[in-house]
Amino acid sequence: MRFDKWLRAALTALVLATPLTAAAQGELVLYCTVQEEWCRPMVAAFEKATGIKVLMTRKSSGEFYAQIKAEAANPRGDVWWGGTGDPHLQAAEEGLTETYQSPRLGELQDWAVRQAEASKFRTVGVYAGALGYSYNADELKKKNIPAPKCWADIIKPAFKDEVQVANPNSSGTSYTMLATLVQLMGEDKAFDYLKALHRNVNQYTKSGAAPARAVATGESLVGITFQHDAVVQAVNGAPVVIVSPCEGTGYEIGSMSIIKGAKNMENAKKWYDWALTPEAQAVGSQAKVSYQVPSNKAAPVPAQAPKLADIKLINYDFVKYGSSAERKRLLAKWDAEVSALPK
């Protein structure tokens, strides 16, 4: 009888302990804004490192910003990882993301820390990358068009229906282009430029990286993207040439935020801290899908990554152009004055 009682007690303890152990690891709902080819190995590496099950969805920056805002009363996501910093800063300003200071902040590049400070620690920089465009060298030769080198070149008549770029309402990449041109040219001249560019655009995509893929396949002659997205295509053998516009260009600080009211808050903080490690920041380059400059000073910089020091970068005002009011104003103006124009 004593043995039977001991056995029943042991079995009861085992049944009770097993689900508690699994629950302690739990799950994480991740909103991922980089390419899915980068999201997936990040998820796999985190699951392996922590035992936490990740439920991942991939969308563009603008789409996730809108979704997080719509879900504010009942948050479904835990962490928003990747994508341009402007919508992350807007979400921070609107109280849609959680304040959190990772113990790894001291390991990060100054630009990543400044991003955290600007948001009152509601977001942080995880990578940086310069804006530009790429063109298909084979198609350019067939069409006998001089190689473009500047922003001014791709609004010329020779590029009629040859340029692809994302819609700035859904794409953080394209909003960065809009804000870059305003800072580079002044608002009036920038919108004149965008109207001229509109005549040459063959498609406004949802995803900021999609135009780089279209250039690689020859679907489009020119694609405006972050330069690292075009590097992915070049590394895979596509006949693309990457251009840093001669007038100067903007750049992004890809960011990460914990969603306000996250259901899995402790696991969200675990992802946040892990994603700032050199090991996590090396995952994308190891998978040959990420050629950004990582924010951890000890993380390896991919050899193929565009050299930011060699690019004529503007002094991009992340605080102003990441503010809710300015972002809404510029997007509304683009909708009214550019998108509504006939082709």
Side-chain angles (χ1 to χ4, degrees):
M1 288 296 290
R2 288 180 181 176
F3 177 76
D4 289 345
K5 286 181 180 179
W6 175 86
L7 183 60
R8 281 197 298 272
L11 288 171
T12 300
L14 180 63
V15 169
L16 289 173
T18 300
L20 285 173
T21 303
Q25 296 173 33
E27 64 182 28
L28 176 78
V29 180
L30 178 70
Y31 290 169
C32 188
T33 303
V34 300
Q35 316 95 294
E36 189 159 344
E37 294 83 359
W38 187 6
C39 297
R40 282 189 267 105
M42 283 291 287
V43 166
F46 179 72
E47 289 182 335
K48 184 177 180 180
T50 65
I52 295 167
K53 175 66 177 175
V54 179
L55 307 174
M56 184 271 289
T57 305
R58 193 271 163 204
K59 290 183 181 178
S60 294
S61 300
E63 291 178 294
F64 269 139
Y65 162 72
Q67 182 173 334
I68 291 166
K69 189 168 186 175
E71 294 172 352
N74 183 26
R76 297 182 182 179
D78 298 314
V79 174
W80 178 16
W81 180 75
T84 54
D86 299 307
H88 281 269
L89 288 170
Q90 185 175 355
E93 183 187 347
E94 295 175 358
L96 298 173
T97 50
E98 196 77 35
T99 299
Y100 180 59
Q101 293 191 48
S102 171
R104 294 196 173 276
L105 272 175
E107 301 174 24
L108 306 185
Q109 300 283 355
D110 290 345
W111 47 262
V113 177
R114 286 196 299 271
Q115 185 84 337
E117 292 170 344
S119 70
K120 298 179 180 177
F121 300 98
R122 291 179 184 268
T123 194
V124 68
V126 288
Y127 58 79
L131 186 71
Y133 60 83
S134 59
Y135 63 84
N136 188 301
D138 292 349
E139 293 298 315
L140 192 82
K141 187 175 180 180
K142 287 179 188 175
K143 296 174 188 291
N144 197 27
I145 299 173
K149 297 179 180 179
C150 307
W151 289 115
D153 291 334
I154 59 174
I155 62 171
K156 292 176 179 177
F159 290 94
K160 173 71 174 173
D161 294 328
E162 300 284 8
V163 180
Q164 195 170 113
V165 64
N167 185 312
N169 289 286
S170 64
S171 163
T173 303
S174 196
Y175 176 75
T176 302
M177 178 196 71
L178 170 56
T180 290
L181 293 171
V182 168
Q183 292 170 82
L184 185 64
M185 302 176 180
E187 190 166 320
D188 290 344
K189 288 184 178 178
F191 272 85
D192 287 343
Y193 177 89
L194 289 164
K195 292 170 190 175
L197 180 67
H198 179 76
R199 293 193 291 269
N200 288 355
V201 171
N202 54 47
Q203 183 183 356
Y204 289 107
T205 62
K206 271 191 177 183
S207 164
R213 292 190 289 271
V215 169
T217 61
E219 176 190 333
S220 186
L221 180 58
V222 176
I224 301 173
T225 64
F226 286 113
Q227 294 182 35
H228 48 252
D229 290 326
V231 170
V232 173
Q233 307 303 324
V235 168
N236 289 328
V240 300
V241 176
I242 300 162
V243 177
S244 299
C246 69
E247 301 94 336
T249 193
Y251 64 105
E252 70 164 333
I253 295 176
S255 298
M256 169 173 62
S257 307
I258 296 176
I259 296 166
K260 186 78 172 179
K263 302 284 195 304
N264 302 294
M265 183 60 71
E266 289 309 307
N267 287 345
K269 290 177 180 178
K270 287 178 182 177
W271 172 281
Y272 200 101
D273 294 338
W274 173 82
L276 295 177
T277 64
E279 295 77 19
Q281 295 196 353
V283 168
S285 59
Q286 288 167 355
K288 298 183 179 179
V289 293
S290 162
Y291 297 98
Q292 289 92 330
V293 176
S295 65
N296 191 300
K297 294 175 184 176
V301 179
Q304 302 93 332
K307 306 294 186 289
L308 298 184
D310 297 339
I311 298 170
K312 188 178 179 181
L313 296 175
I314 67 169
N315 185 21
Y316 193 103
D317 190 337
F318 291 97
V319 174
K320 178 178 179 178
Y321 292 95
S323 72
S324 179
E326 188 67 1
R327 192 167 181 273
K328 287 178 181 175
R329 185 185 73 81
L330 285 177
L331 288 172
K333 186 170 182 176
W334 185 86
D335 285 339
E337 297 187 14
V338 180
S339 179
L341 290 174
K343 291 288 292 165

